[in-house]
Amino acid sequence: MEPLQEPLFQNLFNHLAEPHVVVKADSPRFTVVACNKQYKAVSNTLNKDIIGMGIKEISDLKNANYEGDSIIEKALNKAIETRQVVKLAAVRYDIPSADGLQMQQSWWQTEYIPVLGQNGKAEYLLCTIHNITEQVTSKKNRERAEQQEKALRKEQLLNEELAETIKKLEESQQNLAKLNNELEDRVASRTKALSDSEARFRNMIEQSPVAMLVNKGDDLIFEIVNQPMLKLIGKGDAIKGKPLYEAIPELKGQPVVDKLYHTYQTGEEWTGYEQLVLMDREGKSYQGYYNVTYKPLIENGQITGVLEVAVDVTEQVQARQKILESETMFRAIFEQSPLAFCVLKGRDLVTELANDNILKLWGKTRQEVIGKPQTVARPEVQGLPWLKLINQVYTTGVTHKNPEFKILMQQDGKPEEGYFNAVYQPLKDAEGQTSAILVILEDVTDKVKAQQQVDQAQQQFRQAVDSANMGTWSINPASYQLTFCNRSKEIFGFSLKEDVSNRWAMNAVDPAYRQMVRKAIAAGIEKHEACDLEYPIINHISHERKWVRVTGKMFFDENNRPALFSGLLMDITTRKLDDIRKNDFIAIVSHELKTPLTTLKAYAQMLTVKSKKAEDVFTVVALEKVNSQVKKMTGLINSFLNVSRLEAGKIHLDKVNFSLDELVKERINEFALTIKSHIISLSPCGPLTVFADYEKIGQVINNLLTNAIKYSPAGKRIEVSCQSEEGMARISVKDEGMGIKAHDISKLFERFYRVEGRHTQNISGFGIGLYLCAEIIQRHNGKIGVESEIGKGSNFWFTLPLS
Ligand code: ADP
């Protein structure tokens, strides 16, 4: 019996908790020599006797979850060879659970322990199958725990990493946010900068003193327009925001706008000078000139608009145009002026310009002189003072005038004397140096010759005055300064060496006439009335009483301003004394004639009465004629007497208040009794009371009526009218007679003046009637005059102050 088969061993062996089997080291059979129950249970061989079987014959083991015989064999052989315990790798072999209801996960590890014999060699091999489920499970659990821990650690690590990452993420997020903020700030500041710069740009344009505007977009909308530009184009704020053509439609088709579009389309900058632009201003078309610059506005590489800068140069252009015009005008004046002109350039006096008049004077053609020095073109000027003068003007640069300068002109090939006012004017360059001489010649030949004639006439006049023993006098109307020529001084007996004072002259005048003289001078100077006075003076040296006649009138200067009140002074003492003698004679004769005439009148009246009684018709008629002739004669003699009284200053006015209209009526009625040849009518008027000499005014009315009858054919009407006019009574006697020539009218009221002519030669008269009328009326402070038309009639009138 094999010791291993011993029951003790077998019991012990069976009590071992783990499956054991002992095999012989008889490789490769490895015969089973002992096994316990646990082994049999696990190898599913409980009912078999596996002692003596080769290990490979235990089939259940083959079903075990391991690699098979070779692994077992290799392990057994290894234990034999190495005499070391060999362990197989753990295998999973699930066994039923205690209740047998489910399989239980189980892990097993086979261990081969060599049992050495005395020879030290392995004789047996103890195979123990350890249930390492718990071990494995716990290992697994541990491993799992480890793994879990690892995983946890990993997770923790991961978490930490994550946290770190999150932290980093947060940091980076913060950074990002910061960056974002920064970015936003930067964007905001960039945007602000951009809008600031845009605002600056807008501001710059709006505040620019230069006219600027910005047109934007395809329609060239007025986006920015500054005030100077609005002023320049003459438009209001209304154009802002409007397209170009909507705002200023009149610009359509104008070249300057085409250029604007060109800049907008091509981006080419453009500048145009003195561009003509037509625009409507306050409903009127305005033409302006501008220096214009178009600059494209580029944003993000795109042309978005055009910046326009304009400068108004209208004034300069117009001024230049005016200069051009005036240059043209100057040339026209130069060519067409009645003056003779030339421009002589440089020291050589090269003729640069010469008008026709000067060419005519020189007797040259334009080709002969233009571009040539004077001495070459006109050798005749060599040595003339004229050349010297011009050279002098050139050197001094001072204008020289040569009035009424005599030259010999070429007139139709013949030399002729001419007079010229010459001006030699230096023309200076930019440095103020004389570069040319402008010669202007004004032909004053006619004027000089006329003056010569006047001088001659004046000389002749002076001679005539001298030979007629007349003097001249004048009063300056501004200073009242009196001037006497020597002859006048002689008449007054003043020293020839001294100037005459007004006081001396007035003192010499007969005191009775001074008022009249003063009045006449005042009327001459203030009202420009001519004077013709006769008055006595006392000669300063001889104390003789002399009569002078003084005539005078106002003379005017070329500007029609009173220049001199002057005239002639004649010694008329001889004539005047003759007149006085004549007057005295007439007075004596008239006076002497009056007495016999009165007697004649009385006898004629007595005879009339007698012959009427005797019914001697012839004598009655004859005596009527005698009477009328006596009446005429009486009138005549009275007139003569009046004249002589007048002249002697002895006329006396016997003034009373009376009704002038009544007097007129009365005189007309008287005339109507005797005059049947004319129809005398009176237009009625209101009462006209005057303070006057009844007789003498009646005489004036008579005179005017007599003349109207005398100087108009029989059958004509004579209209008498009376009226009141500005404080004056006005009586007029209008006839339909022969009329009076204008040049006679002014003299009608002079003593002894009668109109000479065919019509008047058969009408008797002495020319004293109107003279007397004028004297009487003037002494009443009235006026007398006449309007007359030859062949149609006259209207004689006089006025008297109403009382
Ligand atoms: P007389 O009639 O005696 O010649 P006057 O002094 O009355 O003198 O008149 C002067 C001159 O005036 C006249 O000679 C006459 O030529 C002209 N005259 C006067 N009255 C008229 C008249 N009514 N119509 C035309 N001529 C007149």
Side-chain angles (χ1 to χ4, degrees), residues 124-189:
Y124 297 97
L125 289 152
L126 173 66
C127 304
T128 311
I129 298 168
H130 298 288
N131 186 348
I132 56 164
T133 303
E134 216 166 293
Q135 244 176 297
V136 168
T137 321
S138 64
K139 190 184 167 197
K140 282 231 172 177
N141 283 342
R142 204 174 56 246
E143 266 175 14
R144 197 177 300 128
E146 267 172 16
Q147 256 177 5
Q148 263 176 3
E149 193 190 316
K150 213 172 160 187
L152 261 172
R153 215 175 304 130
K154 204 174 165 187
E155 204 179 290
Q156 195 179 348
L157 220 75
L158 264 171
N159 275 347
E160 275 170 16
E161 266 176 28
L162 205 73
E164 186 69 15
T165 312
I166 286 169
K167 201 178 153 201
K168 276 188 185 157
L169 210 73
E170 272 172 6
E171 267 174 25
S172 72
Q173 240 174 11
Q174 272 172 8
N175 282 343
L176 252 168
K178 206 172 143 195
L179 205 73
N180 193 33
N181 283 344
E182 267 176 26
L183 253 170
E184 272 178 4
D185 283 353
R186 216 179 298 164
V187 167
S189 78

Side-chain angles (χ1 to χ4, degrees), residues 70 87 166 300 338 388 482 630 790:
S70 60
K87 282 182 180 177
I166 286 169
N300 303 327
K388 255 191 180 170
L482 174 71
V630 166
I790 197 86

Side-chain angles (χ1 to χ4, degrees), residues 453-700:
Q453 276 171 3
V454 168
D455 290 348
Q456 207 177 347
Q458 242 177 13
Q459 208 180 343
Q460 283 168 355
F461 167 75
R462 196 150 295 283
Q463 279 168 357
V465 166
D466 286 349
S467 60
N469 237 348
M470 286 190 243
T472 55
W473 63 273
S474 63
I475 296 174
N476 181 321
S479 62
Y480 274 70
Q481 175 64 49
L482 174 71
T483 310
F484 269 12
C485 76
N486 284 348
R487 176 64 193 135
S488 298
K489 286 180 184 172
E490 273 171 11
I491 295 171
F492 271 70
F494 294 141
S495 157
L496 300 189
K497 289 180 198 140
E498 285 178 83
D499 288 338
V500 180
S501 79
N502 296 13
R503 195 163 54 84
W504 288 359
M506 197 48 82
N507 281 347
V509 177
D510 186 317
Y513 291 84
R514 281 181 197 162
Q515 186 60 21
M516 176 192 81
V517 174
R518 279 199 193 99
K519 260 185 159 178
I521 292 173
I525 292 176
E526 284 156 24
K527 300 180 192 160
H528 309 154
E529 285 176 12
C531 73
D532 188 352
L533 310 171
E534 288 179 6
Y535 54 87
I537 58 156
I538 303 296
N539 184 283
H540 197 62
I541 299 170
S542 65
H543 301 288
E544 268 178 284
R545 187 180 163 87
K546 284 186 172 232
W547 277 86
V548 290
R549 182 177 174 196
V550 175
T551 59
K553 65 179 274 196
M554 184 63 84
F555 291 88
F556 299 88
D557 65 11
E558 60 272 21
N559 298 320
N560 215 22
R561 281 186 302 235
L564 214 57
F565 184 51
S566 77
L568 295 171
L569 196 148
M570 291 154 270
D571 182 347
I572 54 160
T573 313
T574 318
R575 176 176 66 76
K576 201 68 193 178
L577 290 180
D578 279 353
D579 274 0
I580 290 167
R581 272 193 291 275
K582 207 163 37 179
N583 273 337
D584 288 350
F585 173 74
I586 292 169
I588 293 163
V589 171
S590 308
H591 193 75
E592 292 306 316
L593 280 174
K594 260 187 115 177
T595 324
L597 207 60
T598 318
T599 318
L600 197 68
K601 203 175 166 184
Y603 278 107
Q605 274 169 357
M606 275 161 34
L607 280 173
T608 307
V609 174
K610 270 197 163 185
S611 42
K612 272 185 182 166
K613 267 187 189 165
E615 290 175 356
D616 182 350
V617 179
F618 171 76
T619 312
V620 170
V621 173
L623 281 172
E624 262 174 20
K625 287 199 171 141
V626 169
N627 256 329
S628 105
Q629 290 306 315
V630 166
K631 206 176 169 187
K632 258 190 190 172
M633 218 166 153
T634 312
L636 207 60
I637 286 165
N638 278 337
S639 294
F640 279 129
L641 265 175
N642 280 337
V643 167
S644 62
R645 278 188 200 137
L646 255 176
E647 303 278 305
K650 286 178 193 159
I651 197 153
H652 173 71
L653 299 180
D654 199 3
K655 287 188 176 179
V656 287
N657 268 322
F658 65 90
S659 187
L660 183 60
D661 52 304
E662 288 295 326
L663 175 64
V664 173
K665 225 179 277 173
E666 185 192 302
R667 289 302 145 108
I668 289 172
N669 291 339
E670 245 172 59
F671 266 82
L673 284 176
T674 48
I675 304 298
K676 305 290 174 207
S677 57
H678 294 75
I679 309 139
I680 307 175
S681 66
L682 171 69
S683 348
C685 69
L688 299 170
T689 309
V690 292
F691 183 64
D693 188 317
Y694 186 83
E695 281 304 321
K696 292 200 173 61
I697 298 300
Q699 213 178 316
V700 171

Side-chain angles (χ1 to χ4, degrees), residues 707 710-711 735 740 748 753-755 765-770 796:
N707 281 350
K710 255 165 76 176
Y711 299 102
D735 64 50
I740 308 150
L748 282 188
Y753 189 83
R754 301 205 72 221
V755 175
F766 288 97
I768 53 168
L770 289 179
F796 279 87

Side-chain angles (χ1 to χ4, degrees), residues 5-260:
Q5 298 298 328
E6 293 282 329
L8 178 64
F9 172 73
Q10 198 64 42
N11 268 337
L12 281 172
F13 203 42
N14 281 334
H15 278 90
L16 288 176
E18 286 179 310
H20 294 277
V21 66
V22 182
V23 288
K24 267 191 171 169
D26 57 349
S27 183
R29 181 158 162 88
F30 299 110
T31 311
V32 178
V33 285
C35 79
N36 66 358
K37 277 190 221 164
Q38 278 74 14
Y39 184 79
K40 279 194 170 185
V42 293
S43 60
N44 209 17
T45 54
L46 279 175
N47 300 322
K48 279 183 187 173
D49 184 12
I50 57 169
I51 304 291
M53 283 171 74
I55 196 101
K56 290 175 199 166
E57 288 162 59
I58 305 165
S59 59
D60 272 331
L61 285 176
K62 284 180 191 168
N63 296 331
N65 195 12
Y66 56 85
E67 292 287 314
D69 296 343
S70 60
I71 293 172
I72 296 168
E73 200 179 292
K74 271 181 194 167
L76 288 171
N77 284 332
K78 195 180 170 186
I80 293 167
E81 273 167 35
T82 62
R83 287 174 275 179
Q84 296 282 331
V85 176
V86 174
K87 282 182 180 177
L88 284 180
V91 291
R92 182 172 165 180
Y93 183 73
D94 294 343
I95 53 166
S97 61
D99 52 15
L101 291 172
Q102 52 189 10
M103 289 300 282
Q104 202 175 318
Q105 197 189 70
S106 304
W107 288 86
W108 306 93
Q109 187 172 37
T110 308
E111 187 185 36
Y112 300 104
I113 305 165
V115 182
L116 303 179
Q118 285 175 352
N119 53 3
K121 285 188 184 175
E123 279 182 23
Y124 297 97
L125 289 152
L126 173 66
C127 304
T128 311
I129 298 168
H130 298 288
N131 186 348
I132 56 164
T133 303
E134 216 166 293
Q135 244 176 297
V136 168
T137 321
S138 64
K139 190 184 167 197
K140 282 231 172 177
N141 283 342
R142 204 174 56 246
E143 266 175 14
R144 197 177 300 128
E146 267 172 16
Q147 256 177 5
Q148 263 176 3
E149 193 190 316
K150 213 172 160 187
L152 261 172
R153 215 175 304 130
K154 204 174 165 187
E155 204 179 290
Q156 195 179 348
L157 220 75
L158 264 171
N159 275 347
E160 275 170 16
E161 266 176 28
L162 205 73
E164 186 69 15
T165 312
I166 286 169
K167 201 178 153 201
K168 276 188 185 157
L169 210 73
E170 272 172 6
E171 267 174 25
S172 72
Q173 240 174 11
Q174 272 172 8
N175 282 343
L176 252 168
K178 206 172 143 195
L179 205 73
N180 193 33
N181 283 344
E182 267 176 26
L183 253 170
E184 272 178 4
D185 283 353
R186 216 179 298 164
V187 167
S189 78
R190 282 291 293 275
T191 315
K192 192 171 175 286
L194 212 73
S195 71
D196 278 358
S197 89
E198 207 179 281
R200 261 203 308 278
F201 177 65
R202 186 177 276 273
N203 260 354
M204 188 196 81
I205 291 180
E206 276 170 356
Q207 284 163 24
S208 164
V210 178
M212 292 173 112
L213 65 81
V214 169
N215 286 115
K216 277 249 173 125
D218 291 348
D219 290 338
L220 296 176
I221 289 167
F222 284 102
E223 186 159 289
I224 314 173
V225 192
N226 70 2
Q227 284 306 318
M229 181 60 95
L230 286 175
K231 205 176 149 203
L232 186 140
I233 58 177
K235 305 282 169 189
D237 280 332
I239 67 162
K240 288 181 182 170
K242 282 191 185 159
L244 178 73
Y245 284 150
E246 193 186 306
I248 318 175
E250 64 266 25
L251 284 179
K252 226 173 229 177
Q254 295 198 40
V256 78
V257 181
D258 294 345
K259 293 288 181 194
L260 177 62

